[in-house]
Amino acid sequence: MSQHPLRIQIEEIVTLSDAEFDRVLAHFQEKTFKKHQIVLHQGDYASFDFFVVKGLMRVSRVDPDGKEHILQFGMENWWITDAEAFHRQTKSTLTVDCLEDTKTLSLTLENKEKLSKEMPKMQTFFLKKTTNGYIALQKRILCFLSSNANDRYHNLLSLYPGLMQRVPKAMIASYLGVTRETLSRLTKVES
Amino acid sequence: MSQHPLRIQIEEIVTLSDAEFDRVLAHFQEKTFKKHQIVLHQGDYASFDFFVVKGLMRVSRVDPDGKEHILQFGMENWWITDAEAFHRQTKSTLTVDCLEDTKTLSLTLENKEKLSKEMPKMQTFFLKKTTNGYIALQKRILCFLSSNANDRYHNLLSLYPGLMQRVPKAMIASYLGVTRETLSRLTKVES
DNA sequence: TCAAATCATTGACAAATGTCCTGTGAAGGC
DNA sequence: GCCTTCACAGGACATTTGTCAATGATTTGA
């Protein structure tokens, strides 16, 4: 009997009874999106934090020169949104869209805070997840500080081996902060 | 009548009675350090998260080539530690040291969790602070993705105007991920 | 006070990366 | 099935950044 992926993730941090998990789940809305569908437009309010049940999303920004920068990918069991716009209820400076058909559980800020308040366990869960996210971002920054593009690429490879099969190399390059030409040269030298 | 800086910071997020704040404060230890003193050595366990009352600290790593990379500065009212080592109770991969004589309030992980558990307000505070930190790191990453060294420098200038007067330019360069020579050339073109 | 260490700047050159371009398959829409 | 787009590799050249070395100014400490 397989458990719900969200429950599995929560129970890595705190334990829940069946009734408690049902109560948690009631705060989410299921939303599905098509490949290429834009889920959050730059300039709109970020109404939801998305837990990816199935599929692949990304958060990106196009700068004034028209260049696209990918801040984050979100595969199964990842949380994804414009964190600033969501938590501060301001207009988004980022775009969230789908690289594959995607099924999500969506949480409003209101429901997140309600959950946190009514179930301290859930606040503990959110705190732990956010702390882990913070640590991951620190590592990515250290990678920018101390590694060249080649090392960053191999670091990404080992961190998310499945990603390469699911997204074009140009997007990997964008995530790494280099042009696709540069990435192409790096992967060439390998052989 | 001036309030305690920690209380001011907490009360930006949740309100506390005098008794509650006293109870919070009892979980901290006051620690002072001399300029150049190393507070956390690479390889040691990160016993504390430091709230900087007065002074200036930094978190850095020296890579295998001997190059030093600065992950974070910590001025007054900042929290600073090796987040991963602290929260996972593992050996630190980073160094924390003081750029000035520094007075801190130090919190162990045990006390942090105790506070979070016994005072839900404090967990709310920690969650909000961590979320804000997460957002700040995302912005720094976007800066690496979309800005050249010059723009990153000016972004840092506007973000922390006081920092330039307190730390040598070589450290600013290290924080920005460029060599001091490069930074020197960038600031030269200004005039 | 003087010597040593630190800090910033600059030049010459090398290496890494960006930009612009072409060509070639493969994948997707009608 | 055909046509358009997309994905990727690669070349030629420009720009940015790193590396190494030298210099002078400032600060630090005995």
Side-chain angles (χ1 to χ4, degrees), chain A residues 119-135:
Chain A
M119 298 178 66
K121 275 181 187 180
M122 284 306 292
Q123 191 170 49
T124 301
F125 168 74
F126 289 128
L127 177 55
K128 187 76 181 177
K129 289 301 285 184
T130 307
T131 300
N132 287 344
Y134 181 87
I135 291 168

Side-chain angles (χ1 to χ4, degrees), chain B residues 11-190:
Chain B
E11 293 219 70
E12 282 170 8
I13 294 166
V14 294
T15 58
L16 293 179
S17 67
D18 289 356
E20 282 174 328
F21 179 65
D22 287 345
R23 191 165 152 212
V24 168
L25 207 51
H27 289 76
F28 287 79
Q29 302 167 239
E30 187 173 314
K31 287 184 182 288
T32 64
F33 306 104
K34 291 264 172 227
K35 182 172 178 173
H36 294 139
Q37 188 171 347
I38 296 181
V39 171
L40 173 65
H41 286 84
Q42 211 161 318
D44 286 357
Y45 287 94
S47 308
F48 301 100
D49 199 357
F50 299 101
F51 174 80
V52 179
V53 176
K54 177 84 188 120
L56 181 56
M57 307 172 87
R58 73 170 167 172
V59 185
S60 60
R61 167 184 292 167
V62 297
D63 70 17
D65 308 339
K67 283 176 213 156
E68 179 180 272
H69 306 283
I70 296 181
L71 181 60
Q72 189 196 338
F73 294 106
M75 304 190 281
E76 286 79 10
N77 300 322
W78 286 59
W79 292 81
I80 196 165
T81 189
D82 177 341
E84 181 177 26
F86 177 73
H87 284 103
R88 300 190 177 149
Q89 299 283 79
T90 54
K91 286 181 184 170
S92 176
T93 61
L94 306 173
T95 300
V96 178
D97 64 353
C98 299
L99 304 179
E100 302 174 358
D101 290 351
T102 301
K103 180 178 156 190
T104 68
L105 288 172
S106 321
L107 183 64
T108 62
L109 183 61
E110 192 185 345
N111 276 343
K112 184 179 179 180
E113 290 176 344
K114 200 155 147 254
L115 262 182
S116 297
K117 198 173 176 184
E118 296 172 359
M119 297 178 66
K121 274 181 188 180
M122 284 306 292
Q123 191 170 49
T124 302
F125 167 73
F126 289 128
L127 176 55
K128 186 75 181 178
K129 289 302 286 183
T130 307
T131 301
N132 287 344
Y134 182 86
I135 291 168
L137 291 189
Q138 277 203 339
K139 287 184 174 183
R140 188 160 165 213
I141 286 173
L142 267 173
C143 216
F144 274 110
L145 291 179
S146 63
S147 300
N148 56 25
N150 193 29
D151 292 346
R152 292 208 301 282
Y153 174 70
H154 284 97
N155 183 55
L156 182 62
L157 268 183
S158 64
L159 217 48
Y160 314 114
L163 199 62
M164 306 301 154
Q165 279 68 54
R166 292 173 77 175
V167 313
K169 290 192 178 178
M171 289 191 191
I172 300 291
S174 170
Y175 180 91
L176 293 173
V178 295
T179 60
R180 56 214 149 121
E181 291 93 338
T182 297
L183 182 62
S184 184
R185 287 177 196 119
L186 293 178
T187 56
K188 179 186 167 191
V189 187
E190 305 295 306

Side-chain angles (χ1 to χ4, degrees), chain A residues 23-24 26-28 107-120 122-123 126:
Chain A
R23 190 166 153 212
V24 168
H27 289 76
F28 288 78
L107 183 64
T108 62
L109 183 61
E110 192 186 345
N111 275 344
K112 184 178 179 181
E113 290 177 345
K114 199 156 148 255
L115 262 180
S116 296
K117 197 173 176 184
E118 296 173 359
M119 298 178 66
M122 284 306 292
Q123 191 170 49
F126 289 128

Side-chain angles (χ1 to χ4, degrees), chain A:
Chain A
M1 46 165 300
S2 75
Q3 291 230 45
H4 193 289
L6 179 58
R7 180 163 183 179
I8 292 173
Q9 180 172 107
I10 295 172
E11 293 219 71
E12 282 170 8
I13 294 166
V14 293
T15 57
L16 293 179
S17 67
D18 288 355
E20 282 174 327
F21 179 66
D22 287 345
R23 190 166 153 212
V24 168
L25 207 52
H27 289 76
F28 288 78
Q29 301 167 239
E30 187 173 313
K31 287 182 182 289
T32 64
F33 306 102
K34 292 263 171 227
K35 182 171 178 175
H36 295 138
Q37 188 172 348
I38 297 181
V39 171
L40 174 64
H41 287 84
Q42 212 161 318
D44 286 357
Y45 287 93
S47 307
F48 301 100
D49 199 358
F50 299 101
F51 174 80
V52 179
V53 176
K54 176 83 188 121
L56 181 55
M57 306 171 88
R58 74 173 166 169
V59 186
S60 61
R61 168 184 291 166
V62 298
D63 70 17
D65 308 340
K67 283 177 212 155
E68 181 181 271
H69 306 284
I70 297 181
L71 181 60
Q72 189 196 338
F73 294 105
M75 303 190 281
E76 286 78 11
N77 300 322
W78 286 60
W79 292 80
I80 195 165
T81 190
D82 176 341
E84 181 177 26
F86 176 73
H87 284 102
R88 301 191 175 148
Q89 299 282 78
T90 54
K91 286 180 183 170
S92 175
T93 61
L94 306 172
T95 301
V96 178
D97 63 353
C98 299
L99 303 179
E100 301 174 358
D101 290 351
T102 301
K103 180 178 155 190
T104 68
L105 288 172
S106 321
L107 183 64
T108 62
L109 183 61
E110 192 186 345
N111 275 344
K112 184 178 179 181
E113 290 177 345
K114 199 156 148 255
L115 262 180
S116 296
K117 197 173 176 184
E118 296 173 359
M119 298 178 66
K121 275 181 187 180
M122 284 306 292
Q123 191 170 49
T124 301
F125 168 74
F126 289 128
L127 177 55
K128 187 76 181 177
K129 289 301 285 184
T130 307
T131 300
N132 287 344
Y134 181 87
I135 291 168
L137 291 189
Q138 276 203 339
K139 288 185 173 181
R140 187 158 166 215
I141 286 173
L142 267 173
C143 216
F144 274 110
L145 291 179
S146 63
S147 300
N148 57 25
N150 193 29
D151 293 345
R152 291 208 301 280
Y153 173 71
H154 284 97
N155 183 55
L156 183 62
L157 269 182
S158 64
L159 217 49
Y160 313 114
L163 199 61
M164 306 299 154
Q165 280 68 54
R166 292 171 78 173
V167 313
K169 290 193 176 177
M171 289 191 191
I172 300 291
S174 170
Y175 179 91
L176 293 173
V178 295
T179 61
R180 42 207 160 135
E181 290 92 340
T182 297
L183 182 62
S184 184
R185 286 177 200 122
L186 293 178
T187 57
K188 178 188 168 190
V189 188
E190 306 296 306
S191 48

